Amino acid sequence: MHPPLLRIRLLGGFRTTREGGAPLVERWSRPSARTLVKLLALAPDHALHREQIMAVCWPHAELRAALGSLRVALHTARHALEPELPPRGASAYLSGDGDLLRLVSDTVRVDTDEVEALARRALGSGGRRELAHALEALTGELLPEDRHAPWAEPARRRLARHRTDLRRALADDRRPHGGGAVCPEADAARVRLDWALHLDRSGRYEEAVTVVREALRSYERAGLRDACALAAARLAEVLGRSRGADAALAALGAHPPAPAAPDDIRAAHHMARSAVLSYSGRYEEGLAAARAAERCAAAARGPDHPVLLARSLAQQTVCLGLSGRSDEAAGPAESALAPAAESGDRALLATVLSVLRETERRAGRHAEALAYGRRALALAEQAGRPTATAFERANLAELHLLLGERADAERLALASAELAEPFGGTALAFALTALARVRGGAAPMEAVRLLERAGRCAQDGGHLQAIDEVRLAWAEVVATRRAPP
């Protein structure tokens, strides 16, 4: 029987999945085994000499010690990728050929290979849609947990060149053909907005703020009021996630849409306002803004129509759920599924499924919530969104805990905290809170330490829901400690 196909994902963080077969572990027992697989995944033809791997993983060890460490790492990696492998069995995924180690090409797929091939095809003969799809597929930082590792730099530079080439091609595709005025500064600003969206989805909020502000200044110099309103909406959403509501609302107030602005511009403005208001706990105002965004999105007739419609509907569910109107919440999110799927945006569909997961959880339908959450997690991983992936893992951990599945809860909470660690802020606050809930019964003092740090992260992020979750978890820990044995 042919072994299940193994997929190795490097964009947005290292993870492995199989199309069938036994489930794979999230947390490997030896970091060197993970590094070994990462090195092979990035290598030309996915093959390296054993000495090349030893030079990276054990640079200061004597040869005999390094060989021993390599044998242990190789054994660990093979069994992590193929848990059912017998003790002396031949791996279907990681083979040895003399002094060479390689990933088996027939049974292993690496995401960077696929997205680079997609980029080359789009640059060679693709139109705007293919170029945009290829750029979206490149979203996600390569191995953020190894951000400063020298061995990953060649691949980082190669992926960065692909992104730059795709953005330039998109800018050229926007230029009018057959005459007409061209505003190079406005073209450059649009490319910056595309790049800022990638940065935002990668959790790199401060960089995204800088890039959007550069685009906004370019639009201001060009006198493009509608474009300024759109850039301000993008800026407000990132500011709301990273610096709080006041700065975000000020950005929206400085560049409101003109009375005759296109429907999609007005929808984006209302949508940004709704998101910012919900971050700060003003749920009824946020709901009104989301409904205004839906009305504008329904009237819009452009490529962003399904995106705006799905986002505005999902945002209504968020505001309704957080304001305690759970009986009204499910409808808008269910209506958002079709336009989210139509958009082809995996990150957006993941967001809608995440909202539905929370709606089912509040209603006590934990099995249904788990199904939505698993789909949301898979899409967030595929879209290369590390902070969203960490958030989904944290929520799935809490669902498994509610279902009494403590081992799964522990695994997911640890994976969430590990992925969120480089980003801090709101993402880490949710991850640490989930881990504290998992650990609270058996290790209450550790839960206290985790929640102390989660509270600081939530305050740094300025996200009211994260702050409230930490407070609620504190109350749960206190109640557990006071409960009679």
Side-chain angles (χ1 to χ4, degrees):
M1 187 174 67
H2 199 272
L5 187 68
L6 172 72
R7 292 193 176 275
I8 299 175
R9 304 194 182 278
L10 308 177
L11 294 170
F14 176 78
R15 55 224 184 270
T16 56
T17 58
R18 290 199 300 178
E19 296 181 357
L24 303 182
V25 296
E26 289 276 350
R27 194 173 181 87
W28 292 29
S29 59
R30 291 184 178 271
S32 58
R34 290 167 64 100
T35 301
L36 185 155
V37 175
K38 293 174 187 179
L39 289 168
L40 292 173
L42 291 175
D45 299 322
H46 303 307
L48 284 173
H49 195 282
R50 293 171 189 261
E51 289 187 359
Q52 291 175 285
I53 296 171
M54 290 189 292
V56 171
C57 295
W58 306 279
H60 305 299
E62 294 183 358
L63 178 59
R64 180 176 294 180
L67 284 170
S69 296
L70 176 60
R71 283 194 293 271
V72 173
L74 185 58
H75 175 84
T76 302
R78 282 172 167 158
H79 285 270
L81 299 175
E82 198 172 0
E84 68 276 15
L85 184 68
R88 298 186 180 276
S91 172
Y93 307 117
L94 207 172
S95 68
D97 180 11
D99 286 332
L100 285 180
L101 294 177
R102 68 173 71 249
L103 298 176
V104 180
S105 59
D106 290 342
T107 56
V108 180
R109 298 291 181 271
V110 181
D111 63 345
T112 50
D113 293 345
E114 295 172 344
V115 298
E116 288 188 81
L118 190 65
R120 288 191 292 268
R121 288 195 298 271
L123 290 165
S125 58
R128 176 172 174 74
R129 186 178 184 86
E130 289 77 15
L131 291 165
H133 177 59
L135 185 59
E136 172 65 22
L138 276 163
T139 298
E141 182 183 358
L142 179 74
L143 297 173
E145 68 274 21
D146 299 301
R147 186 169 291 144
H148 304 296
W151 49 264
E153 275 309 303
R156 290 185 193 282
R157 289 194 294 269
R158 191 172 65 248
L159 293 171
R161 285 196 298 271
H162 283 311
R163 293 185 188 108
T164 299
D165 291 344
L166 289 166
R167 290 195 295 274
R168 285 174 178 163
L170 280 166
D172 290 341
D173 187 66
R174 276 191 294 274
R175 296 179 185 276
H177 300 281
V182 177
C183 178
E185 191 164 29
D187 270 348
R190 182 62 205 178
V191 173
R192 288 192 184 101
L193 283 186
D194 289 341
W195 178 236
L197 180 61
H198 157 73
L199 293 170
D200 184 18
R201 288 183 168 183
S202 299
R204 296 156 66 183
Y205 301 132
E206 291 304 315
E207 294 173 72
V209 166
T210 298
V211 173
V212 178
R213 280 185 167 150
E214 290 172 356
L216 180 54
R217 285 193 290 269
S218 295
Y219 285 141
E220 287 174 327
R221 287 192 291 269
L224 299 174
R225 183 172 179 181
D226 288 344
C228 284
L230 178 60
R234 295 272 182 89
L235 177 60
E237 292 206 40
V238 185
L239 287 172
R241 278 189 280 276
S242 59
R243 300 189 188 178
D246 291 344
L249 293 173
L252 290 173
H255 295 281
D263 291 308
D264 59 338
I265 299 293
R266 292 189 294 120
H269 184 87
H270 288 306
M271 184 62 232
R273 181 175 174 80
S274 178
V276 171
L277 290 169
S278 70
Y279 296 152
S280 57
R282 296 159 66 179
Y283 303 125
E284 291 299 329
E285 294 174 77
L287 177 61
R291 286 173 171 165
E294 181 195 358
R295 290 191 293 271
C296 293
R301 288 295 176 265
D304 290 337
H305 162 72
V307 172
L308 292 167
L309 186 58
R311 289 193 67 209
S312 62
L313 287 164
Q315 181 64 20
Q316 289 176 46
T317 291
V318 170
C319 293
L320 287 164
L322 291 173
S323 63
R325 297 162 65 179
S326 300
D327 55 332
E328 305 172 52
E334 289 169 353
S335 299
L337 273 175
E342 180 189 344
S343 74
D345 186 332
R346 291 173 294 183
L348 174 60
L349 185 55
T351 298
V352 173
L353 290 167
S354 179
V355 170
L356 283 166
R357 181 255 309 139
E358 190 60 22
T359 301
E360 293 298 304
R361 175 180 172 173
R362 287 197 183 101
R365 295 187 287 268
H366 297 149
E368 291 84 350
L370 200 61
Y372 278 128
R374 285 171 174 159
R375 290 174 62 193
L377 174 59
L379 285 165
E381 289 176 336
Q382 292 167 21
R385 299 188 67 189
T387 54
T389 298
F391 180 73
E392 295 307 326
R393 286 176 178 171
N395 278 280
L396 281 174
E398 295 194 3
L399 279 168
H400 280 293
L401 190 62
L402 288 169
L403 291 167
E405 298 163 353
R406 188 167 292 276
D408 287 329
E410 173 89 9
R411 172 178 57 82
L412 283 160
L414 281 169
S416 175
E418 183 179 76
L419 184 57
E421 181 68 40
F423 302 96
T426 302
L428 187 55
F430 279 115
L432 293 173
T433 302
L435 187 56
R437 282 182 163 132
V438 172
R439 298 273 176 85
M445 291 309 298
E446 182 184 359
V448 166
R449 289 192 294 272
L450 289 167
L451 288 175
E452 286 174 345
R453 189 176 178 209
R456 293 192 294 271
C457 292
Q459 291 292 341
D460 289 344
H463 194 297
L464 187 65
Q465 186 183 355
I467 294 170
D468 286 345
E469 279 298 310
V470 175
R471 288 173 179 164
L472 182 59
W474 267 114
E476 292 166 2
V477 169
V478 170
T480 299
R481 295 179 69 183
R482 288 177 177 172

